[in-house]
Amino acid sequence: MVADPPKADPKGLVAVEATANGGLVLGSAPDRDETAKGCCRSRDQVRSCLRANLLVLLTVVAVVAGVALGLGVSVAGGAAARSPARLVAFGFPGELLLRLLKMIILPLVVCSLVGGAASLDPGSLGRLGAWALLFFLVTTLLASALGVGLALALKPGAGFTAINASVGTTDGVQNTGKKEVLDSFLDLVRNIFPSNLVSATFRSYATKYEERRLNTAMAQELNATMVQVPMESEVESMNILGLVVFAIIFGVALRKLGPEGELLIRFFNSFNDATMILVSWIMWYAPVGILFLVASKIVERENVGELFVNLGKYILCCLLGHAIHGLLVLPLIYFVFTRRNPYRFLWGIMTPLATAFGTSSSSATLPLMMKCVEEKNGVARHISRFILPIGATVNMDGAALFQCVAAVFIAQLNGLPLDLVKIITILVTATASSVGAAGIPAGGVLTLAIILEAVNLPVKDISFIFAVDWLVDRSCTIINVEGDAFGAGLLQSYVDRTKLQDPEPESTQVKSEVPLNPLPASMEEGNPLLKQYRGPAGDAVACEKESVM
Ligand code: ASP
């Protein structure tokens, strides 16, 4: 019996209901039931959408709540809230998040890169690496150009009112001493080749100058009694660049070893997988940590308003530049090459972006970024785990952009004109020095000295940049990690198109803790010595050892 014409549901499907005798009746349900069902369906949809995006929502809410809490405590607590003991207690949940993320960086970077490099044949590795580096270089240059352009157009340094001496803290930059631009570049190269791998896990090389008395003959010849001598020295900061380079080369060597290296490759892959499970647990703590990181930073600042009045144009210039680069330039590049919606890609990495905002550290954001690009944006494991650690170490679009704005700002501040040669020098040195910047809070300000020295601008003025870096560094870190993620997305699309991943069929699927197809562990991804063959339906039907070069 057909009572009414069939009704289409919102998705265009025809309402179908089973009768008591098992027959199917089209559109026979009363309207009331239909409405109730529709409501239920949409409630279910909302619920499942909320569940799928719960972490993202919680993290975004945490950032907003952190700002509100910070402002509230600042206003209500006044100077008492800024006492060192209270600040430490207040920021403790945030400190815990940072400690957890930092704990994961070393095993994650080393294991993912060894496994990643070992899972790609040297040809693909070279091609992927070359494309990634080209993307990183081009986007960093674009960011630098945008920074210089905005600073020249908005002139943040013109009409600058000098603020009180409390702003002029130079913590962290005094040590640059007499360090030359050349020293900084040589240090970068030295760090690429660490002399001791164990000490590279917590120290980096940094040339230091010491004053030495000259002997009489030399003193007469040079007409001076003292001389500055470059000395070998190390600073307490993980040498990620050195570890990245070592891990890649070690992975390539393991692959070259053939079956003998298989055991160790499995070791690194399983270490990496276990680390990623830890990351997924840490992710649920991230919103709490971010909330307190942001709030405590705001409480810590005494003259937020005053800084805004005096350095507002500089802050505006940096934030505007970061917004243009992050919301227009990078998405546009991604869209042009992949024809996919870049904003959906951005939504997928919202949690790591909020973490970058909260922690001001690309390195600390790396674990969450890996998890999200793989699980939300469908980037294959061997691509994300190979590219993201490199990106987090060398690709810093946000840093290059703000360094350019800062250099032009300082030139304007001192009334020093910038000719074309100086502008090009700023562009090139900002791109290079952003490579040398560590993915830690204020990493970019420390290498800003290289640019200022290269164009003869007063290094002491970095103090102004330091005064607002707690804020600018946050948007800067977001852009730094966003650039890495888009790089991984672009490489995935390149691999999909060129079928570069032929021996790695699983690279096209979104990875999760639970393998989508129940392959034995030995046949899972990351074991380059085993090839999987799939039937027409994509199921694994056989596996055999791949002959190794
Ligand atoms: N904090 C930034 C990062 O970790 C580095 C910087 O200061 O530019 O990516």
Side-chain angles (χ1 to χ4, degrees):
M1 160 193 78
V2 177
D4 295 308
K7 292 184 181 72
D9 75 6
K11 282 180 179 168
L13 301 172
V14 175
V16 177
E17 192 177 74
T19 59
N21 63 7
L24 287 175
V25 176
L26 293 178
S28 66
D31 280 357
R32 212 178 38 243
D33 284 3
E34 270 309 304
T35 319
K37 272 188 209 156
C39 273
C40 273
R41 255 201 311 270
S42 58
R43 212 178 304 141
D44 282 351
Q45 275 170 352
V46 170
R47 217 177 287 149
S48 70
C49 176
L50 272 180
R51 213 175 300 138
N53 294 300
L54 182 62
L55 194 58
V56 178
L57 294 175
L58 283 177
T59 338
V60 175
V61 168
V63 172
V64 179
V67 173
L69 181 68
L71 290 174
V73 172
S74 268
V75 172
R82 276 189 289 276
S83 78
R86 284 200 186 169
L87 269 181
V88 169
F90 186 59
F92 187 68
E95 187 193 332
L96 269 190
L97 175 67
L98 272 177
R99 294 183 76 88
L100 288 171
L101 290 171
K102 283 183 185 168
M103 173 183 79
I104 290 293
I105 295 172
L106 180 62
L108 194 67
V109 168
V110 173
C111 298
S112 64
L113 278 173
V114 172
S119 71
L120 293 162
D121 72 80
S124 324
L125 183 80
R127 243 173 306 165
L128 281 186
W131 278 117
L133 290 182
L134 182 69
F135 171 79
F136 292 159
L137 183 72
V138 170
T139 52
T140 309
L141 270 173
L142 282 176
S144 303
L146 182 60
V148 170
L150 275 176
L152 288 176
L154 298 181
K155 298 194 175 44
F160 172 85
T161 341
I163 39 181
N164 67 39
S166 71
V167 163
T169 164
T170 51
D171 339 347
V173 269
Q174 299 107 323
N175 287 344
T176 51
K178 186 184 165 312
K179 209 166 155 178
E180 304 283 343
V181 178
L182 180 66
D183 292 319
S184 302
F185 285 110
L186 289 184
D187 285 352
L188 188 68
V189 179
R190 285 185 187 111
N191 278 322
I192 290 177
F193 305 103
S195 59
N196 182 331
L197 275 182
V198 177
S199 92
T201 60
F202 56 96
R203 278 199 193 137
S204 308
Y205 190 101
T207 300
K208 190 175 81 181
Y209 273 82
E210 273 182 19
E211 279 215 330
R212 288 285 161 89
R213 186 171 292 282
L214 288 171
N215 62 32
T216 330
M218 284 284 276
Q220 276 173 356
E221 198 176 315
L222 295 174
N223 201 15
T225 50
M226 304 297 278
V227 69
Q228 299 269 355
V229 184
M231 305 290 289
E232 182 177 324
S233 111
E234 290 193 308
V235 289
E236 292 294 318
S237 155
M238 189 196 289
N239 176 6
I240 298 197
L241 195 57
L243 293 174
V244 162
V245 171
F246 174 79
I248 295 175
I249 297 172
F250 192 68
V252 173
L254 277 183
R255 187 181 171 104
K256 185 110 183 124
L257 212 55
E260 306 250 312
E262 193 184 331
L263 192 66
L264 212 43
I265 294 172
R266 280 203 187 133
F267 166 82
F268 280 111
N269 281 328
S270 105
F271 204 138
N272 196 13
D273 290 346
T275 312
M276 288 310 278
I277 293 178
L278 294 185
V279 172
S280 63
W281 293 341
I282 296 174
M283 276 175 101
W284 287 102
Y285 179 67
V288 181
I290 290 170
L291 192 155
F292 283 94
L293 276 174
V294 174
S296 63
K297 247 318 171 236
I298 291 179
V299 176
E300 201 181 302
R301 296 283 133 186
E302 247 176 273
N303 311 321
V304 180
E306 197 181 342
L307 284 179
F308 266 100
V309 171
N310 287 286
L311 289 158
K313 267 181 143 183
Y314 165 74
I315 300 174
L316 182 81
C317 226
C318 292
L319 297 187
L320 187 65
H322 286 151
I324 295 176
H325 194 71
L327 293 173
L328 297 176
V329 179
L330 289 176
L332 189 68
I333 296 175
Y334 179 79
F335 175 74
V336 167
F337 285 96
T338 65
R339 298 278 149 194
R340 290 193 197 131
N341 184 348
Y343 299 103
R344 187 171 294 166
F345 189 95
L346 277 182
W347 180 251
I349 54 167
M350 200 49 95
T351 302
L353 294 186
T355 309
F357 182 86
T359 60
S360 297
S361 166
S362 317
S363 308
T365 310
L366 178 64
L368 305 194
M369 184 57 92
M370 273 190 185
K371 190 113 191 111
C372 287
V373 293
E374 288 169 17
E375 293 183 1
K376 306 260 182 189
N377 290 344
V379 175
R381 278 209 301 196
H382 68 273
I383 292 181
S384 75
R385 294 179 190 193
F386 174 63
I387 289 308
L388 289 179
I390 300 178
T393 314
V394 302
N395 182 38
M396 307 251 172
D397 295 4
L401 192 150
F402 103 82
Q403 286 177 336
C404 286
V405 175
V408 178
F409 169 73
I410 290 175
Q412 291 169 348
L413 211 66
N414 292 282
L416 299 168
L418 290 171
D419 55 19
L420 191 63
V421 176
K422 283 194 172 167
I423 288 177
I424 292 174
T425 312
I426 290 177
L427 287 181
V428 175
T429 45
T431 305
S433 84
S434 70
V435 172
I440 54 170
V445 189
L446 298 177
T447 58
L448 176 59
I450 300 177
I451 305 167
L452 298 183
E453 291 208 5
V455 285
N456 276 328
L457 291 170
V459 175
K460 69 169 177 35
D461 283 351
I462 287 187
S463 54
F464 295 117
I465 309 303
F466 249 117
V468 288
D469 196 56
W470 62 278
L471 176 63
V472 172
D473 195 16
R474 286 164 201 274
S475 64
C476 162
T477 311
I478 293 181
I479 304 305
N480 289 346
V481 300
E482 186 190 323
D484 305 340
F486 272 127
L490 273 172
L491 274 194
Q492 179 63 53
S493 142
Y494 167 74
V495 166
D496 288 346
R497 261 185 284 156
T498 56
K499 296 272 178 286
L500 203 67
Q501 87 286 32
D502 244 354
E504 298 272 342
E506 81 336 296
S507 65
T508 52
Q509 60 191 357
V510 180
K511 298 301 296 183
S512 64
E513 245 67 74
V514 185
L516 296 179
N517 48 345
L519 288 170
S522 59
M523 293 163 68
E524 250 296 313
E525 184 221 343
N527 184 350
L529 306 173
L530 295 171
K531 261 189 178 173
Q532 292 171 30
Y533 294 101
R534 286 168 188 253
D539 47 332
V541 292
C543 119
E544 69 171 27
K545 290 245 176 201
E546 183 190 342
S547 60
V548 182
M549 321 151 280

